[in-house]
Amino acid sequence: MDYENILTEIRDSILYLTINRPKQLNALNKAVFTELENVFTELAPKDEVKSILITGSGEKAFAAGADIKEFADFSVEEGKELSANGQRIFKIIETFKKPVIAAVNGFALGGGLELAMACHIRLASDNARFGQPEVSLGVTPGYAGTQRLTQLIGKGKATELLMTGAMIKAEEALKFGLVNYVMPQEELITKTEELLKTIMKQSPVAVAGVIQCVDAYFTDGVDGFKTEVEEFGKCFGTEDFREGTDAFMNKRKANFPGK
Ligand code: CAA
């Protein structure tokens, strides 16, 4: 598939995925979602990709939300469909078995913040702004913002942000645990790459297990403690585990095959 709204590049095992609609502040229209899904089902699963870095094109926005112009005259049914489809695609990202980090380089509003929250970890530049301004448009968030914001920062503060539609600065987002680090914009990609490289040195099988266990905590009807028992046990049958333990015993660095 040729991507028109997303830039992709694979370098040093990192898949760089850049939402590329800078004139619309990288607003997420239908085409972006189609391309996002394609990236995560066709490109990101390739062996040469070990991790994914998502960012926005330009210096102003990560993504300023769902494309308001596109849904302005939607019916109730179309609204439900838009929401369900967005949630489905963001769930693919959240449960993807390789680390996905958002490098939030500017506005992360509405669907843009929901995209960042579907990623496993978030880093931000100091000009980044976060919010769920949907109530100012007469809608609730639709791509699981009410759920993931509450999971990430707790009910009280999340409800306030969701009800007021307020925009918060990166430093405040850091204080709430919405992002893990804040830095000047020129350092954002390098710092994100450093974090990804640290993760990529670990066992890919174990890292995938961690993603699954953490997701289990938030999945209805799934016992995360049991998931952990399963994932932990499974590791004992992997080459990664043999390599990791052998490297430890022989006082050398592990070189994980990812199997
Ligand atoms: N959808 C469509 N277009 C958008 C957009 C969006 N979410 N956000 C920005 N744009 C467009 C603007 O319309 C403008 O286009 P034109 O030049 O053609 O007029 C261009 O991007 C630049 O935007 P501004 O001129 O508004 O830039 P600014 O610096 O003055 O303001 C901003 C920046 C505060 C982010 C402002 O653009 C804004 O408030 N954007 C909307 C944010 C928002 O409400 N997001 C939630 C969307 S709803 C949603 O996401 C629902 C969901 O959960 C599923």
Side-chain angles (χ1 to χ4, degrees):
M1 180 180 199
D2 290 331
Y3 302 121
E4 286 176 15
N5 301 279
I6 281 177
L7 303 174
T8 60
E9 184 191 358
I10 301 170
R11 201 171 2 106
D12 296 334
S13 303
I14 299 173
L15 168 60
Y16 295 80
L17 190 170
T18 307
I19 312 290
N20 189 31
R21 303 183 73 218
K23 285 192 184 136
Q24 293 80 26
L25 303 186
N26 303 319
L28 307 171
N29 62 3
K30 210 172 160 202
V32 170
F33 272 100
T34 304
E35 293 178 20
L36 262 180
E37 180 171 14
N38 189 273
V39 169
F40 274 90
T41 51
E42 301 290 331
L43 197 53
K46 287 185 192 289
D47 285 344
E48 68 214 84
V49 174
K50 307 282 184 224
S51 66
I52 298 95
L53 184 159
I54 303 185
T55 194
S57 188
E59 294 177 353
K60 198 171 163 183
F62 175 75
D67 193 314
I68 299 164
K69 291 162 194 165
E70 209 176 51
F71 68 63
D73 60 358
F74 270 16
S75 65
V76 170
E77 278 317 310
E78 286 172 314
K80 280 189 189 173
E81 204 179 301
L82 182 76
S83 170
N85 191 51
Q87 286 198 9
R88 180 182 65 76
I89 293 167
F90 284 181
K91 192 72 193 169
I92 296 174
I93 297 176
E94 185 174 49
T95 53
F96 199 68
K97 295 290 178 57
K98 299 174 187 177
V100 185
I101 301 190
V104 182
N105 57 313
F107 290 113
L109 302 174
L113 177 52
E114 290 165 317
L115 170 61
M117 291 193 295
C119 297
H120 302 135
I121 300 173
R122 287 146 295 284
L123 276 66
S125 52
D126 50 18
N127 64 312
R129 298 289 179 270
F130 299 81
Q132 297 283 168
E134 285 89 343
V135 287
S136 71
L137 297 164
V139 287
T140 59
Y143 301 150
T146 58
Q147 304 303 294
R148 291 200 180 97
L149 191 63
T150 308
Q151 290 170 353
L152 277 165
I153 71 171
K155 186 176 174 184
K157 201 67 208 178
T159 308
E160 180 188 331
L161 291 180
L162 291 160
M163 283 180 166
T164 59
M167 224 192 278
I168 60 168
K169 293 184 175 175
E171 282 302 332
E172 227 178 327
L174 179 67
K175 212 169 65 193
F176 299 146
L178 187 52
V179 300
N180 291 18
Y181 303 98
V182 174
M183 65 225 67
Q185 192 170 59
E186 56 275 18
E187 292 170 23
L188 178 64
I189 297 300
T190 310
K191 176 80 185 168
T192 310
E193 287 168 343
E194 278 170 20
L195 184 54
L196 282 171
K197 282 174 187 163
T198 302
I199 297 169
M200 288 192 294
K201 282 187 196 141
Q202 318 308 318
S203 152
V205 174
V207 168
V210 167
I211 292 168
Q212 190 159 339
C213 291
V214 172
D215 190 60
Y217 179 84
F218 296 107
T219 307
D220 254 3
V222 175
D223 183 337
F225 291 90
K226 278 192 187 149
T227 304
E228 191 177 284
V229 169
E230 285 303 314
E231 289 302 311
F232 183 74
K234 259 200 263 171
C235 291
F236 288 77
T238 66
E239 289 180 31
D240 275 12
F241 176 70
R242 282 196 289 282
E243 167 63 10
T245 45
D246 185 75
F248 176 80
M249 313 284 199
N250 291 297
K251 300 191 185 303
R252 64 173 175 84
K253 283 210 170 104
N255 183 14
F256 291 108
K259 290 190 266 190

